[in-house]
Structures are given as C-alpha cells and as structure tokens.
Amino acid sequence: MTSDFNDTITGIATAPGEAGVSIIRISGDLSLTLAARIFKPKAVPSFEQIKDRTMTYGWIEAEGKTFDEVLLCIMKKPHSFTVEDVVEIHCHGGSFITNAILKLILDLGARLAAPGEFTQRAFLNGRIDLTQAEATNDMIKAQSQLGLNMVVNQLKGKLYEKIEKIKEQVTWMLSLVNAGIDFPEEDTVFTHTDDILQKMRDAEHELQRLILSAETGIKIREGYKIVLAGKPNVGKSRILNGLLEESRSIVNQAPGTTRDTIEESCTIHGIPASLIDTAGIHETADEIEKEGIQRAFSAIQKADLILWVIDISNPSFSIKLAEYIDISTIPILIVLNKKDLMPDQSITLPDEWQSNDSIEISALQENDIEKLRKKIYDFISGSKGKWIEDTMLTNLRQKLAAENALAALQQARASLESGVGEELFAVDLTQTLTALGEIVGETTPDDMLNQIFSKFCIGK
Ligand SMILES: Nc1nc2c(ncn2[C@@H]2O[C@H](COP(=O)(O)OP(=O)(O)OP(=O)(O)O)[C@@H](O)[C@H]2O)c(=O)[nH]1
Ligand SMILES: [Mg+2]
C-alpha cells in the first residue's frame, strides 16, 4: 500500500533542550527534494548518489550560510516507518540549531507534523496496526522492564495476531451463514452447528482472558497506586522510606509528622508503582491536619492497594475505613508494624478485618521490608489469576472494544442456540467483527483515531 497523503511533514523527533544529537524527520513525497536543497554531502559527490538507508556525512547549507555538520539518512518508500520517502537529519543537539534547520525545511514547503502524525501515517499506510501504533508510544513511556516486555510483545504484533485469529474464526462462521442465506437448500450453518458452537466458546474464552489481562496490563503501563494509611505514628513514613530505600518522608516519634500526601515512584519486583504516604488519620481540631487527613482520604479513594498500617505495640482499630470508602472495591493489606517491640505478641484482628490479608513486620528490619515488598508483589500479581500473559490488553480503549466483541459473540451464540434464524445470527457476527476490528484499528472511527494520535509526542 502506498501513501495517500500529498503533503510532506517534518518535525523534531528528539526531546527539546540541549543534547548530543537532535534528529529532524521529514516524511512525504517531497522529502528527498527538500533535503537535497539544504544538504551538501561530503562522503559522496552528489545527493543523488546517497545510498538508501545508510548514514551520509555532510553539511546543512542554505541562504549562502553553513548551518551545521550533520549525518543524513534517506529511507525511500516503502521501506520506511511511514511507508513514505523519509529523511532523517542528525544534527548537533542545541535547540537553536535544531529549530533553525527545521525552519529551513518548513520554508521549503514542508508542513509541521502534528503530534503522532508520523506514526499515524505508518498506521494509515498499513505498516502497523493500531495496537502496534499504541505500543510505539507506550514504549517511550515504559517505566519498568515488565512494562517494556509487555509493550515489545505488542509492538511485535502479538496482540494483533491474536485478534486476527479470532476474526478469522468469526469470518469463517459468517461465510457459512452467508452461504446458507444465498443457497438455502444447502442448510450450511445447521450442518456445522456443533463445530460453530465449539469455536464460539473458544473465541469467547480467548476474549475473556484478554479482558481480564487488561486490568494488569493497564496498571503495568501506568503504575499501581499504593497508599500507606493508618493512625498517626504507626510507622507509615518509615515503611515508605524502607520500600523506597531512601529517606524521602520525615519520620519522627511525634504523632502528626506527615501533614501532606507524599508520592514517589518505584518498582516492586519490576512492577511500576507510586507509593503515597499520607497524614495519620484521627480526630483533630487542627485545621492543617484536617486538610492533610482530607487529602489522605482522597488518596485512599484512588488507591489500587491500601497498606493499612497498625502499630502492634499500641494496636487500635477504632477507625472504620468502611465508613469512609467502599472497601469492597479496593484491596487492603494490613501491615502490623513495630513487631520488634512486641516479638511475642500476636494480634487477633477484629471481625471487620478478618477477611483481609495481613503481614507482621518491623519497619526497622530490611528483611521485613523485603518480606513486605514480596507480599505486595504477590498481592498485585497473584490475585484472581489475572496475571501476566504473553499477550495483554494495555489500555481502556482496547478493553472496551474487546468487551463489545465478547458481548456480540455471546449474543450470536444465544441466537444460534435458540434458532432465531440465520439473518440475526449474521448481524451478531458482523457486530463481533466490527468490535474486533476496532481493537486493531480497522473499523475505528476517525475521530477516535485522531484522539489517540493527538496524545502522542511531537515528532513520533
Ligand atoms: N521500634 C520501631 N519503631 C518504629 C517502627 N516503625 C516506625 N517506628 C518509629 O515510630 C515513630 C513514628 O514513625 P513514622 O514513620 O513517622 O510514623 P507515621 O505513621 O508516618 O506517623 P505520622 O506521620 O505522624 O502519621 C518513629 O519514631 C519511628 O522511628 C518499627 O517497626 N519499630
Ligand atoms: Mg508520617
């Protein structure tokens, strides 16, 4: 497939600011012509002799001036990221020089690329599907090795292949239905009913697994919000510092030390997380503390996991968290802290906490902090079997489309089982295909596509 775009776009592909090298990209029919006007190769006698997909050394010269010493790479269509003629200029990484070269290219007739427009062209020109396009952007934002592994799989097209496999099955069913409609005497669907039903159940199972994977996939991409909360002086800040392995939050024997929420990023056995320390929750007339406690509750409400800290040496269960938040929706791990002060004391949790998992630690012990880290990892990763798969959904858009596909497929199966007729069955199957197509970008509405790519970086 070749490009339908008749304009040539350009943009700075590297981050703004001073750097060793900056890269300016040009893509479109005029790329080579524009680059030839400003690039004077030194390694070969003329621009025409520059080899495709190799770096050529030379100078940017225009308006009788020399702008920069650069390396230039041309990638002729269709063997480029966008499937168009692409030129990359690797210049010195100062903002002024990079923008001056960009301006030369714009003055020669290129248009400044919108955010994500290079990737959008790669997608619209059929080089990558929408999940791969999303992966290119997520790659830049990956916060952990685990996140990177997940995105690399998506970039390699694993999610695309899985969806295509399900689509193939549904297309096969649809072809049987259509054959049945066109040649009623052959009764095609009904001679294959058992086979179709089995394939439908298999496809539903695949979709269910994918939908389940989204919860983890999204969190691995965005990071888990883990909130440390509890009464004052129970050791929340000390635990935060232990998990971060740095003295980030002030620890003090006086209750009410932490007054505002403190958020820091870290990884827990490879899982990206935001750890949030909060003000101790208690009755107070102090206006600043009240505000801090308010902030603690708002952090708790947004948490993916709450570490509810109790001081074993002075246990108190007077705060009923259920009165403030819907504890059925947010997992809570009870951290019984200061075990070193009461090594022989074991705590019986009150009834309302009985169903929660708990761990006894001393925040002063590195071993115990590691135990807690492992517990958090198990908590996040092991729950409900929704853990890492080779192929995962990584954003809400993909998840919603997969849910629509599953609902349409289940409806199709119900239609087939109740024998409502081939036409209705065909409608449900077509809806399934449309929803599956949305995941990979084949049937995604234009405004949604524009919205997706507008969130990409400039020059990507
Ligand atoms: N012995 C012992 N002391 C601890 C432990 N964890 C914390 N502490 C001490 O308990 C006191 C309070 O610790 P913090 O981490 O400031 O407690 P906090 O829950 O953040 O308190 P606020 O910010 O006031 O709500 C400090 O003196 C800590 O050194 C522990 O496991 N064992
Ligand atoms: Mg504190």
Side-chain angles (χ1 to χ4, degrees), residues 139-358:
M139 194 89 182
I140 297 169
K141 299 186 173 162
Q143 300 170 44
S144 66
Q145 187 62 48
L146 206 57
L148 197 59
N149 296 348
M150 183 177 77
V151 175
V152 166
N153 274 342
Q154 195 170 312
L155 194 62
K156 281 182 174 166
K158 290 211 168 164
L159 179 55
Y160 174 73
E161 283 162 21
K162 191 160 256 187
I163 300 298
E164 283 305 297
K165 262 198 196 131
I166 303 175
K167 273 175 63 199
E168 265 170 34
Q169 299 288 352
V170 179
T171 307
W172 170 77
M173 294 169 207
L174 198 56
S175 69
L176 286 180
V177 186
N178 287 336
I181 293 168
D182 292 344
F183 309 102
E185 67 283 358
E186 293 191 11
D187 201 14
T188 330
V189 170
F190 298 108
T191 51
H192 286 82
T193 302
D194 287 345
D195 199 9
I196 292 179
L197 282 174
Q198 188 50 48
K199 285 203 161 62
M200 288 180 114
R201 283 191 210 98
D202 291 347
E204 281 172 34
H205 180 67
E206 278 293 319
L207 282 170
Q208 271 154 349
R209 277 183 80 125
L210 280 174
I211 292 165
L212 216 55
S213 78
E215 199 178 321
T216 316
I218 293 169
K219 289 292 181 319
I220 290 179
R221 203 168 53 79
E222 294 177 353
Y224 281 81
K225 275 195 183 309
I226 301 172
V227 173
L228 283 143
K231 295 196 84 172
N233 218 35
V234 291
K236 302 178 293 297
S237 301
R238 180 99 200 197
I239 295 171
L240 175 106
N241 292 347
L243 289 169
L244 291 174
E245 294 180 77
E246 65 171 288
S247 183
R248 173 66 182 86
S249 194
I250 300 171
V251 171
N252 194 280
Q253 61 196 16
T257 304
T258 308
R259 299 206 147 197
D260 202 349
T261 50
I262 291 174
E263 183 162 351
E264 274 299 322
S265 301
C266 70
T267 54
I268 307 266
H269 290 280
I271 302 175
S274 273
L275 286 181
I276 301 156
D277 189 16
T278 59
I281 298 168
H282 69 127
E283 287 293 330
T284 176
D286 183 312
E287 286 302 319
I288 299 175
E289 261 198 302
K290 268 191 189 166
E291 174 61 28
I293 292 166
Q294 200 57 43
R295 288 177 188 206
F297 276 119
S298 94
I300 285 171
Q301 272 152 2
K302 292 183 208 130
D304 297 309
L305 171 63
I306 299 169
L307 303 185
W308 186 258
V309 186
I310 306 266
D311 178 350
I312 297 184
S313 67
N314 180 22
S316 164
F317 297 96
S318 60
I319 297 166
K320 309 272 180 257
L321 205 51
E323 288 173 14
Y324 302 94
I325 59 159
D326 180 1
I327 54 172
S328 64
T329 57
I330 309 175
I332 302 173
L333 173 63
I334 300 178
V335 183
L336 299 158
N337 189 34
K338 306 198 188 181
K339 178 73 182 160
D340 54 296
L341 296 180
M342 297 284 189
D344 302 323
Q345 173 124 337
S346 75
I347 293 265
T348 310
L349 293 173
D351 286 350
E352 76 260 30
W353 289 115
Q354 285 289 340
S355 60
N356 289 93
D357 209 345
S358 64

